[in-house]
Amino acid sequence: MTLLREHFSSPLLQFAEADSGKTFTLVECPSGTGQLITRLTNDEIDVALALTDPLISGIANGSKAYKLVGSFVSTPLNWAVITGKESKYNSISDLQDSTLATLEWRLSSGSFTMAYVMALQQGWPLDNLQFQVNNDIRGLLDSVNNGSTSAFMWEWFTTKPFVDAGEARFIGSVPTPWPSWLIAAHPERARAEAVRAFLDGLTGYVNDFDSEECRVAKNVAFIEDKFGYPKEDIQAWLKTVRYPPSCSEIPTEVITNTLSVLEKAGVVKKPEGGFSVDIFVNSDIVNLI
């Protein structure tokens, strides 16, 4: 089981603490969704909680390494657009024809995918997008401050501490036009029975995390302890995020609507006759609704 250790993964971390390794083991991927998908592709892990768009674009572009098996976060991800503290860029429109920083190359990266969505929204020629790959968040910050790149995209509250510390500046944001997180599993290594049991267990923690009584105190205390974010930032984020009533379900429109935007952005190419939703999911595990 792989994850990105950030505030969105809090219900999974609570589940893992209670499980104590009896039924699953967490493997962290600090480099992002690309690392998650690579580990699925290399048969290193069985299940991954990852961003919606790279998971869907990977399958649309031919990956057989995983299928979608569930939902994790039902609200959009707010991608901040971040530039150097003294750079010449002051708005998203200033970034046209510049070089953007990204952690992972190609379609396994959420920041790469969202750069095309941003360009589509801005009306920029998609062929003109340029990227520089960096190894980690420190590499991204260094690149926008030394001028080798103009900006990078990362989740708003994850990068806010760096902005608050004066290491970078926000110049805009681009929320995803889709629910932000799905769950994928290796089609052969991940046993359907075990994955269904995991999704049932995760649903309980997601429902508890999403309840109003937990939002007031329990969740704030947990995130503050695990991630050290200021209480006011945690409370602001909690107002923006919601989780699905069942992690074992995916609304069909999540797949079709995401594909539609990715096609327009040039991230995936629709085959003759269009995509069949069935190729994206493991129907032995997930319920399409």
Side-chain angles (χ1 to χ4, degrees), residues 150-250:
S150 60
F152 67 92
M153 302 179 73
W154 202 267
E155 195 272 333
W156 185 278
F157 287 100
T158 306
T159 45
K160 189 174 182 295
F162 299 102
V163 173
D164 290 345
E167 296 188 64
R169 292 184 294 120
F170 287 140
I171 57 172
S173 67
V174 184
T176 60
W178 44 69
S180 50
W181 291 64
L182 293 176
I183 305 170
H186 193 285
E188 297 172 359
R189 284 171 52 93
R191 294 183 298 108
E193 180 180 326
V195 176
R196 285 195 293 266
F198 166 76
L199 293 172
D200 287 345
L202 182 60
T203 294
Y205 284 88
V206 159
N207 292 164
D208 183 62
F209 190 87
D210 224 18
S211 65
E212 287 303 321
E213 55 269 31
C214 288
R215 286 177 175 275
V216 173
K218 180 181 175 182
N219 293 349
V220 173
F222 182 86
I223 296 170
E224 185 179 23
D225 177 63
K226 295 297 180 184
F227 302 103
Y229 293 162
K231 286 184 179 180
E232 58 269 24
D233 286 354
I234 299 169
Q235 291 165 342
W237 173 72
L238 286 169
K239 293 177 181 178
T240 71
V241 67
R242 289 294 183 272
Y243 291 80
S246 171
C247 293
S248 300
E249 297 177 343
I250 299 176

Side-chain angles (χ1 to χ4, degrees), residues 3-24:
L3 83 156
L4 304 178
R5 182 175 284 272
E6 55 189 37
H7 43 296
F8 286 96
S9 61
S10 294
L12 174 61
L13 295 175
Q14 292 170 344
F15 185 14
E17 288 182 1
D19 184 74
S20 299
K22 292 191 292 292
T23 61
F24 66 93

